[in-house]
mmCIF file of all heavy atoms in Angstrom:
data_model
loop_
_atom_site.group_PDB
_atom_site.id
_atom_site.type_symbol
_atom_site.label_atom_id
_atom_site.label_comp_id
_atom_site.label_asym_id
_atom_site.label_seq_id
_atom_site.Cartn_x
_atom_site.Cartn_y
_atom_site.Cartn_z
ATOM 1 N N ASP A 767 47.168 15.579 69.286
ATOM 2 C CA ASP A 767 46.344 14.577 69.732
ATOM 3 C C ASP A 767 45.240 15.151 70.720
ATOM 4 O O ASP A 767 45.284 16.368 71.060
ATOM 5 C CB ASP A 767 47.015 13.356 70.332
ATOM 6 C CG ASP A 767 47.838 13.788 71.560
ATOM 7 O OD1 ASP A 767 47.522 14.815 72.181
ATOM 8 O OD2 ASP A 767 48.797 13.097 71.891
ATOM 9 N N GLU A 768 44.300 14.320 71.165
ATOM 10 C CA GLU A 768 43.203 14.880 71.997
ATOM 11 C C GLU A 768 43.750 15.305 73.334
ATOM 12 O O GLU A 768 43.253 16.294 73.865
ATOM 13 C CB GLU A 768 42.135 13.700 72.180
ATOM 14 C CG GLU A 768 41.450 13.266 70.956
ATOM 15 C CD GLU A 768 40.385 12.273 71.314
ATOM 16 O OE1 GLU A 768 40.227 11.875 72.422
ATOM 17 O OE2 GLU A 768 39.720 11.831 70.278
ATOM 18 N N LEU A 769 44.756 14.718 73.915
ATOM 19 C CA LEU A 769 45.290 15.192 75.119
ATOM 20 C C LEU A 769 45.759 16.640 75.057
ATOM 21 O O LEU A 769 45.676 17.442 75.886
ATOM 22 C CB LEU A 769 46.327 14.274 75.727
ATOM 23 C CG LEU A 769 45.824 12.874 76.102
ATOM 24 C CD1 LEU A 769 47.022 12.007 76.642
ATOM 25 C CD2 LEU A 769 44.988 13.043 77.354
ATOM 26 N N ALA A 770 46.561 16.896 73.897
ATOM 27 C CA ALA A 770 47.115 18.175 73.759
ATOM 28 C C ALA A 770 46.053 19.237 73.408
ATOM 29 O O ALA A 770 46.195 20.447 73.845
ATOM 30 C CB ALA A 770 48.097 18.132 72.619
ATOM 31 N N LEU A 771 45.000 18.817 72.674
ATOM 32 C CA LEU A 771 43.904 19.733 72.389
ATOM 33 C C LEU A 771 43.085 20.080 73.715
ATOM 34 O O LEU A 771 42.404 21.125 73.686
ATOM 35 C CB LEU A 771 42.970 19.112 71.341
ATOM 36 C CG LEU A 771 43.566 18.986 69.951
ATOM 37 C CD1 LEU A 771 42.652 18.230 69.055
ATOM 38 C CD2 LEU A 771 43.903 20.276 69.378
ATOM 39 N N ASP A 772 43.148 19.199 74.693
ATOM 40 C CA ASP A 772 42.422 19.536 75.932
ATOM 41 C C ASP A 772 43.287 20.338 76.845
ATOM 42 O O ASP A 772 43.554 19.938 78.000
ATOM 43 C CB ASP A 772 41.909 18.244 76.551
ATOM 44 C CG ASP A 772 41.118 18.467 77.827
ATOM 45 O OD1 ASP A 772 40.448 19.502 77.855
ATOM 46 O OD2 ASP A 772 41.053 17.598 78.706
ATOM 47 N N PHE A 773 43.735 21.477 76.328
ATOM 48 C CA PHE A 773 44.758 22.276 77.121
ATOM 49 C C PHE A 773 44.052 23.300 78.091
ATOM 50 O O PHE A 773 42.907 23.748 77.853
ATOM 51 C CB PHE A 773 45.706 23.092 76.252
ATOM 52 C CG PHE A 773 44.880 23.920 75.254
ATOM 53 C CD1 PHE A 773 44.454 25.187 75.579
ATOM 54 C CD2 PHE A 773 44.687 23.519 73.910
ATOM 55 C CE1 PHE A 773 43.764 25.991 74.665
ATOM 56 C CE2 PHE A 773 43.963 24.311 73.009
ATOM 57 C CZ PHE A 773 43.527 25.603 73.325
ATOM 58 N N PRO A 774 44.665 23.387 79.326
ATOM 59 C CA PRO A 774 44.188 24.397 80.136
ATOM 60 C C PRO A 774 44.561 25.830 79.748
ATOM 61 O O PRO A 774 45.628 25.961 79.074
ATOM 62 C CB PRO A 774 44.825 24.030 81.579
ATOM 63 C CG PRO A 774 46.121 23.408 81.121
ATOM 64 C CD PRO A 774 45.761 22.694 79.922
ATOM 65 N N VAL A 775 43.752 26.849 80.080
ATOM 66 C CA VAL A 775 44.057 28.241 79.667
ATOM 67 C C VAL A 775 44.131 29.049 80.853
ATOM 68 O O VAL A 775 43.294 29.051 81.735
ATOM 69 C CB VAL A 775 42.917 28.671 78.656
ATOM 70 C CG1 VAL A 775 43.186 30.198 78.290
ATOM 71 C CG2 VAL A 775 42.857 27.898 77.411
ATOM 72 N N LEU A 776 45.163 29.848 80.954
ATOM 73 C CA LEU A 776 45.343 30.810 82.028
ATOM 74 C C LEU A 776 45.454 32.139 81.426
ATOM 75 O O LEU A 776 46.166 32.377 80.414
ATOM 76 C CB LEU A 776 46.562 30.554 82.923
ATOM 77 C CG LEU A 776 46.487 29.269 83.736
ATOM 78 C CD1 LEU A 776 47.205 28.205 83.146
ATOM 79 C CD2 LEU A 776 46.987 29.460 85.123
ATOM 80 N N TRP A 777 44.804 33.219 81.982
ATOM 81 C CA TRP A 777 44.832 34.603 81.626
ATOM 82 C C TRP A 777 45.905 35.205 82.456
ATOM 83 O O TRP A 777 45.810 35.082 83.812
ATOM 84 C CB TRP A 777 43.499 35.207 81.687
ATOM 85 C CG TRP A 777 42.381 34.383 81.286
ATOM 86 C CD1 TRP A 777 41.516 33.630 82.062
ATOM 87 C CD2 TRP A 777 41.902 34.002 79.914
ATOM 88 N NE1 TRP A 777 40.622 32.884 81.336
ATOM 89 C CE2 TRP A 777 40.915 33.142 79.992
ATOM 90 C CE3 TRP A 777 42.394 34.519 78.709
ATOM 91 C CZ2 TRP A 777 40.224 32.679 78.781
ATOM 92 C CZ3 TRP A 777 41.838 33.961 77.621
ATOM 93 C CH2 TRP A 777 40.652 33.053 77.656
ATOM 94 N N ALA A 778 46.775 36.001 81.905
ATOM 95 C CA ALA A 778 47.869 36.515 82.721
ATOM 96 C C ALA A 778 48.349 37.912 82.317
ATOM 97 O O ALA A 778 48.007 38.424 81.174
ATOM 98 C CB ALA A 778 49.040 35.479 82.562
ATOM 99 N N SER A 779 49.023 38.528 83.226
ATOM 100 C CA SER A 779 49.879 39.753 82.817
ATOM 101 C C SER A 779 51.127 39.629 83.583
ATOM 102 O O SER A 779 51.238 39.779 84.844
ATOM 103 C CB SER A 779 49.036 40.977 83.445
ATOM 104 O OG SER A 779 49.890 42.091 83.363
ATOM 105 N N GLY A 780 52.189 39.278 82.845
ATOM 106 C CA GLY A 780 53.452 39.128 83.535
ATOM 107 C C GLY A 780 53.957 40.412 84.156
ATOM 108 O O GLY A 780 54.572 40.350 85.190
ATOM 109 N N ARG A 781 53.693 41.538 83.567
ATOM 110 C CA ARG A 781 54.106 42.782 84.100
ATOM 111 C C ARG A 781 53.437 43.056 85.486
ATOM 112 O O ARG A 781 54.094 43.590 86.421
ATOM 113 C CB ARG A 781 53.728 43.968 83.186
ATOM 114 C CG ARG A 781 54.235 45.362 83.647
ATOM 115 C CD ARG A 781 53.833 46.370 82.640
ATOM 116 N NE ARG A 781 52.370 46.500 82.588
ATOM 117 C CZ ARG A 781 51.789 47.440 81.783
ATOM 118 N NH1 ARG A 781 52.463 48.209 81.059
ATOM 119 N NH2 ARG A 781 50.449 47.454 81.840
ATOM 120 N N ASP A 782 52.141 42.746 85.612
ATOM 121 C CA ASP A 782 51.410 42.998 86.843
ATOM 122 C C ASP A 782 51.577 41.857 87.820
ATOM 123 O O ASP A 782 51.166 41.923 88.955
ATOM 124 C CB ASP A 782 49.957 43.170 86.579
ATOM 125 C CG ASP A 782 49.770 44.535 85.719
ATOM 126 O OD1 ASP A 782 50.674 45.461 85.848
ATOM 127 O OD2 ASP A 782 48.629 44.682 85.055
ATOM 128 N N GLY A 783 52.053 40.718 87.271
ATOM 129 C CA GLY A 783 52.344 39.572 88.314
ATOM 130 C C GLY A 783 51.218 38.705 88.645
ATOM 131 O O GLY A 783 51.087 38.243 89.758
ATOM 132 N N TRP A 784 50.275 38.439 87.659
ATOM 133 C CA TRP A 784 49.094 37.550 88.015
ATOM 134 C C TRP A 784 48.947 36.597 86.770
ATOM 135 O O TRP A 784 49.201 36.959 85.707
ATOM 136 C CB TRP A 784 47.835 38.275 88.306
ATOM 137 C CG TRP A 784 47.365 39.238 87.276
ATOM 138 C CD1 TRP A 784 47.610 40.508 87.076
ATOM 139 C CD2 TRP A 784 46.415 38.832 86.261
ATOM 140 N NE1 TRP A 784 46.980 41.008 86.047
ATOM 141 C CE2 TRP A 784 46.121 40.020 85.548
ATOM 142 C CE3 TRP A 784 45.706 37.717 85.912
ATOM 143 C CZ2 TRP A 784 45.293 39.995 84.399
ATOM 144 C CZ3 TRP A 784 44.851 37.723 84.804
ATOM 145 C CH2 TRP A 784 44.690 38.905 84.054
ATOM 146 N N ALA A 785 48.436 35.419 87.135
ATOM 147 C CA ALA A 785 48.016 34.372 86.146
ATOM 148 C C ALA A 785 46.932 33.548 86.767
ATOM 149 O O ALA A 785 47.097 32.973 87.764
ATOM 150 C CB ALA A 785 49.222 33.493 85.697
ATOM 151 N N SER A 786 45.717 33.597 86.128
ATOM 152 C CA SER A 786 44.582 32.948 86.779
ATOM 153 C C SER A 786 43.712 32.219 85.781
ATOM 154 O O SER A 786 43.662 32.594 84.540
ATOM 155 C CB SER A 786 43.687 34.097 87.481
ATOM 156 O OG SER A 786 42.533 33.629 87.888
ATOM 157 N N PHE A 787 42.951 31.287 86.160
ATOM 158 C CA PHE A 787 41.965 30.570 85.401
ATOM 159 C C PHE A 787 40.763 31.514 85.165
ATOM 160 O O PHE A 787 39.996 31.280 84.176
ATOM 161 C CB PHE A 787 41.558 29.238 86.117
ATOM 162 C CG PHE A 787 42.568 28.169 86.023
ATOM 163 C CD1 PHE A 787 43.098 27.692 87.315
ATOM 164 C CD2 PHE A 787 43.000 27.627 84.898
ATOM 165 C CE1 PHE A 787 44.126 26.767 87.236
ATOM 166 C CE2 PHE A 787 43.993 26.621 84.929
ATOM 167 C CZ PHE A 787 44.525 26.153 86.099
ATOM 168 N N ASP A 788 40.531 32.440 86.078
ATOM 169 C CA ASP A 788 39.437 33.388 85.936
ATOM 170 C C ASP A 788 40.065 34.750 85.675
ATOM 171 O O ASP A 788 40.756 35.363 86.536
ATOM 172 C CB ASP A 788 38.623 33.415 87.166
ATOM 173 C CG ASP A 788 37.356 34.269 87.079
ATOM 174 O OD1 ASP A 788 37.338 35.065 86.166
ATOM 175 O OD2 ASP A 788 36.447 34.047 87.959
ATOM 176 N N ARG A 789 39.809 35.288 84.460
ATOM 177 C CA ARG A 789 40.470 36.615 84.146
ATOM 178 C C ARG A 789 40.071 37.737 85.057
ATOM 179 O O ARG A 789 40.646 38.766 84.974
ATOM 180 C CB ARG A 789 40.233 36.884 82.689
ATOM 181 C CG ARG A 789 38.782 37.403 82.342
ATOM 182 C CD ARG A 789 38.615 37.752 80.884
ATOM 183 N NE ARG A 789 38.446 36.467 80.146
ATOM 184 C CZ ARG A 789 38.262 36.402 78.801
ATOM 185 N NH1 ARG A 789 38.045 37.515 78.109
ATOM 186 N NH2 ARG A 789 38.195 35.315 78.145
ATOM 187 N N ASP A 790 38.949 37.562 85.758
ATOM 188 C CA ASP A 790 38.460 38.693 86.639
ATOM 189 C C ASP A 790 39.031 38.578 88.092
ATOM 190 O O ASP A 790 38.876 39.431 88.875
ATOM 191 C CB ASP A 790 36.900 38.588 86.732
ATOM 192 C CG ASP A 790 36.322 38.965 85.363
ATOM 193 O OD1 ASP A 790 36.820 39.742 84.618
ATOM 194 O OD2 ASP A 790 35.248 38.301 85.055
ATOM 195 N N LYS A 791 39.718 37.487 88.381
ATOM 196 C CA LYS A 791 40.372 37.305 89.687
ATOM 197 C C LYS A 791 41.864 37.363 89.541
ATOM 198 O O LYS A 791 42.505 36.542 88.954
ATOM 199 C CB LYS A 791 40.050 35.928 90.289
ATOM 200 C CG LYS A 791 38.503 35.787 90.620
ATOM 201 C CD LYS A 791 38.254 34.456 91.305
ATOM 202 C CE LYS A 791 36.834 34.384 91.679
ATOM 203 N NZ LYS A 791 36.446 32.985 92.334
ATOM 204 N N ARG A 792 42.383 38.501 90.109
ATOM 205 C CA ARG A 792 43.846 38.821 89.873
ATOM 206 C C ARG A 792 44.518 38.972 91.203
ATOM 207 O O ARG A 792 45.584 39.623 91.237
ATOM 208 C CB ARG A 792 43.949 40.068 89.030
ATOM 209 C CG ARG A 792 43.198 39.980 87.732
ATOM 210 C CD ARG A 792 43.274 41.270 86.910
ATOM 211 N NE ARG A 792 42.486 41.158 85.657
ATOM 212 C CZ ARG A 792 42.622 42.060 84.653
ATOM 213 N NH1 ARG A 792 43.283 43.178 84.877
ATOM 214 N NH2 ARG A 792 41.891 41.862 83.501
ATOM 215 N N ASP A 793 43.943 38.506 92.254
ATOM 216 C CA ASP A 793 44.518 38.751 93.558
ATOM 217 C C ASP A 793 45.358 37.546 94.122
ATOM 218 O O ASP A 793 45.841 37.639 95.261
ATOM 219 C CB ASP A 793 43.398 39.068 94.582
ATOM 220 C CG ASP A 793 42.398 37.903 94.688
ATOM 221 O OD1 ASP A 793 42.370 37.115 93.824
ATOM 222 O OD2 ASP A 793 41.486 38.072 95.557
ATOM 223 N N ARG A 794 45.482 36.485 93.410
ATOM 224 C CA ARG A 794 46.269 35.343 93.815
ATOM 225 C C ARG A 794 47.621 35.194 93.193
ATOM 226 O O ARG A 794 48.305 34.123 93.311
ATOM 227 C CB ARG A 794 45.533 34.008 93.503
ATOM 228 C CG ARG A 794 44.172 33.947 94.167
ATOM 229 C CD ARG A 794 43.528 32.622 93.928
ATOM 230 N NE ARG A 794 44.272 31.513 94.691
ATOM 231 C CZ ARG A 794 44.469 30.322 94.124
ATOM 232 N NH1 ARG A 794 44.060 30.061 92.956
ATOM 233 N NH2 ARG A 794 45.124 29.400 94.900
ATOM 234 N N GLY A 795 48.140 36.214 92.486
ATOM 235 C CA GLY A 795 49.450 36.202 91.879
ATOM 236 C C GLY A 795 49.479 35.151 90.783
ATOM 237 O O GLY A 795 48.518 35.010 89.993
ATOM 238 N N VAL A 796 50.426 34.286 90.779
ATOM 239 C CA VAL A 796 50.525 33.159 89.821
ATOM 240 C C VAL A 796 50.274 31.845 90.411
ATOM 241 O O VAL A 796 50.736 30.782 89.981
ATOM 242 C CB VAL A 796 51.924 33.217 89.089
ATOM 243 C CG1 VAL A 796 52.137 34.542 88.257
ATOM 244 C CG2 VAL A 796 53.040 33.103 90.069
ATOM 245 N N GLU A 797 49.491 31.829 91.457
ATOM 246 C CA GLU A 797 49.220 30.608 92.184
ATOM 247 C C GLU A 797 48.525 29.576 91.339
ATOM 248 O O GLU A 797 48.829 28.372 91.246
ATOM 249 C CB GLU A 797 48.410 30.902 93.486
ATOM 250 C CG GLU A 797 48.253 29.699 94.396
ATOM 251 C CD GLU A 797 49.591 29.249 95.003
ATOM 252 O OE1 GLU A 797 50.412 30.157 95.160
ATOM 253 O OE2 GLU A 797 49.789 28.116 95.452
ATOM 254 N N ASP A 798 47.644 30.059 90.427
ATOM 255 C CA ASP A 798 46.940 29.159 89.563
ATOM 256 C C ASP A 798 47.910 28.554 88.562
ATOM 257 O O ASP A 798 47.738 27.351 88.200
ATOM 258 C CB ASP A 798 45.781 29.901 88.759
ATOM 259 C CG ASP A 798 44.605 30.124 89.754
ATOM 260 O OD1 ASP A 798 44.629 29.695 90.817
ATOM 261 O OD2 ASP A 798 43.646 30.775 89.209
ATOM 262 N N LEU A 799 48.924 29.189 88.096
ATOM 263 C CA LEU A 799 49.861 28.716 87.167
ATOM 264 C C LEU A 799 50.761 27.664 87.869
ATOM 265 O O LEU A 799 51.088 26.597 87.269
ATOM 266 C CB LEU A 799 50.695 29.833 86.611
ATOM 267 C CG LEU A 799 51.774 29.485 85.539
ATOM 268 C CD1 LEU A 799 51.132 28.566 84.411
ATOM 269 C CD2 LEU A 799 52.402 30.693 85.035
ATOM 270 N N PHE A 800 51.185 27.895 89.104
ATOM 271 C CA PHE A 800 51.893 26.898 89.910
ATOM 272 C C PHE A 800 51.090 25.576 89.962
ATOM 273 O O PHE A 800 51.576 24.528 89.660
ATOM 274 C CB PHE A 800 52.111 27.360 91.301
ATOM 275 C CG PHE A 800 53.283 28.375 91.405
ATOM 276 C CD1 PHE A 800 53.069 29.474 92.221
ATOM 277 C CD2 PHE A 800 54.466 28.176 90.803
ATOM 278 C CE1 PHE A 800 54.081 30.405 92.389
ATOM 279 C CE2 PHE A 800 55.535 29.083 90.895
ATOM 280 C CZ PHE A 800 55.317 30.245 91.682
ATOM 281 N N GLU A 801 49.786 25.730 90.202
ATOM 282 C CA GLU A 801 48.967 24.494 90.359
ATOM 283 C C GLU A 801 48.839 23.817 89.001
ATOM 284 O O GLU A 801 48.760 22.576 88.887
ATOM 285 C CB GLU A 801 47.604 24.850 90.920
ATOM 286 C CG GLU A 801 47.689 25.405 92.268
ATOM 287 C CD GLU A 801 46.288 25.895 92.867
ATOM 288 O OE1 GLU A 801 45.405 25.816 92.092
ATOM 289 O OE2 GLU A 801 46.297 26.345 94.071
ATOM 290 N N ALA A 802 48.686 24.627 87.849
ATOM 291 C CA ALA A 802 48.521 24.019 86.669
ATOM 292 C C ALA A 802 49.790 23.193 86.216
ATOM 293 O O ALA A 802 49.718 22.171 85.641
ATOM 294 C CB ALA A 802 48.239 25.012 85.478
ATOM 295 N N ILE A 803 50.951 23.749 86.590
ATOM 296 C CA ILE A 803 52.201 23.009 86.268
ATOM 297 C C ILE A 803 52.241 21.672 87.011
ATOM 298 O O ILE A 803 52.546 20.648 86.554
ATOM 299 C CB ILE A 803 53.465 23.960 86.672
ATOM 300 C CG1 ILE A 803 53.544 25.132 85.640
ATOM 301 C CG2 ILE A 803 54.714 23.116 86.509
ATOM 302 C CD1 ILE A 803 54.545 26.166 86.045
ATOM 303 N N MET A 804 51.795 21.715 88.368
ATOM 304 C CA MET A 804 51.897 20.498 89.110
ATOM 305 C C MET A 804 50.906 19.483 88.668
ATOM 306 O O MET A 804 51.188 18.326 88.698
ATOM 307 C CB MET A 804 51.652 20.887 90.625
ATOM 308 C CG MET A 804 52.630 21.870 91.294
ATOM 309 S SD MET A 804 54.311 21.320 91.225
ATOM 310 C CE MET A 804 54.230 19.945 92.362
ATOM 311 N N ASP A 805 49.733 19.947 88.173
ATOM 312 C CA ASP A 805 48.686 19.022 87.744
ATOM 313 C C ASP A 805 48.903 18.475 86.367
ATOM 314 O O ASP A 805 48.664 17.276 86.035
ATOM 315 C CB ASP A 805 47.355 19.693 87.769
ATOM 316 C CG ASP A 805 46.914 19.988 89.276
ATOM 317 O OD1 ASP A 805 47.488 19.417 90.157
ATOM 318 O OD2 ASP A 805 46.085 20.892 89.453
ATOM 319 N N ARG A 806 49.431 19.334 85.494
ATOM 320 C CA ARG A 806 49.574 18.999 84.122
ATOM 321 C C ARG A 806 50.822 18.316 83.678
ATOM 322 O O ARG A 806 50.871 17.507 82.722
ATOM 323 C CB ARG A 806 49.361 20.270 83.256
ATOM 324 C CG ARG A 806 49.362 20.074 81.764
ATOM 325 C CD ARG A 806 48.038 19.507 81.217
ATOM 326 N NE ARG A 806 47.962 19.467 79.784
ATOM 327 C CZ ARG A 806 46.919 19.012 79.103
ATOM 328 N NH1 ARG A 806 45.838 18.647 79.627
ATOM 329 N NH2 ARG A 806 46.919 19.090 77.777
ATOM 330 N N VAL A 807 51.937 18.670 84.269
ATOM 331 C CA VAL A 807 53.262 18.224 83.910
ATOM 332 C C VAL A 807 53.591 16.993 84.866
ATOM 333 O O VAL A 807 53.608 17.147 86.041
ATOM 334 C CB VAL A 807 54.363 19.297 84.096
ATOM 335 C CG1 VAL A 807 55.725 18.691 83.664
ATOM 336 C CG2 VAL A 807 53.997 20.473 83.180
ATOM 337 N N ASP A 808 53.776 15.876 84.291
ATOM 338 C CA ASP A 808 54.080 14.681 85.087
ATOM 339 C C ASP A 808 55.423 14.733 85.550
ATOM 340 O O ASP A 808 56.383 15.248 84.998
ATOM 341 C CB ASP A 808 53.948 13.394 84.169
ATOM 342 C CG ASP A 808 52.543 13.202 83.688
ATOM 343 O OD1 ASP A 808 51.612 13.550 84.439
ATOM 344 O OD2 ASP A 808 52.318 12.638 82.604
ATOM 345 N N ALA A 809 55.605 14.169 86.817
ATOM 346 C CA ALA A 809 57.008 13.944 87.283
ATOM 347 C C ALA A 809 57.780 12.993 86.566
ATOM 348 O O ALA A 809 57.287 12.128 85.843
ATOM 349 C CB ALA A 809 56.917 13.523 88.756
#
């Protein structure tokens, strides 16, 4: 459905330990992924 098609995309490297909404910013670790989980997944 439309909600599923409106998915957020994170660029990541599990080996290097980063996941970001901006593939050129790799200094925040996986903080963006934490925030995506909190925003996207309902309690």
Side-chain angles (χ1 to χ4, degrees):
D767 58 26
E768 293 184 2
L769 289 176
L771 291 174
D772 186 25
F773 55 83
V775 178
L776 289 101
W777 319 98
S779 171
R781 184 183 64 180
D782 295 340
W784 60 270
S786 173
F787 289 114
D788 186 342
R789 74 182 73 174
D790 296 323
K791 293 184 179 180
R792 307 180 178 184
D793 57 349
R794 299 187 67 217
V796 295
E797 191 67 25
D798 285 357
L799 184 52
F800 283 136
E801 294 176 359
I803 293 172
M804 299 302 292
D805 294 339
R806 183 76 172 181
V807 181
D808 296 329

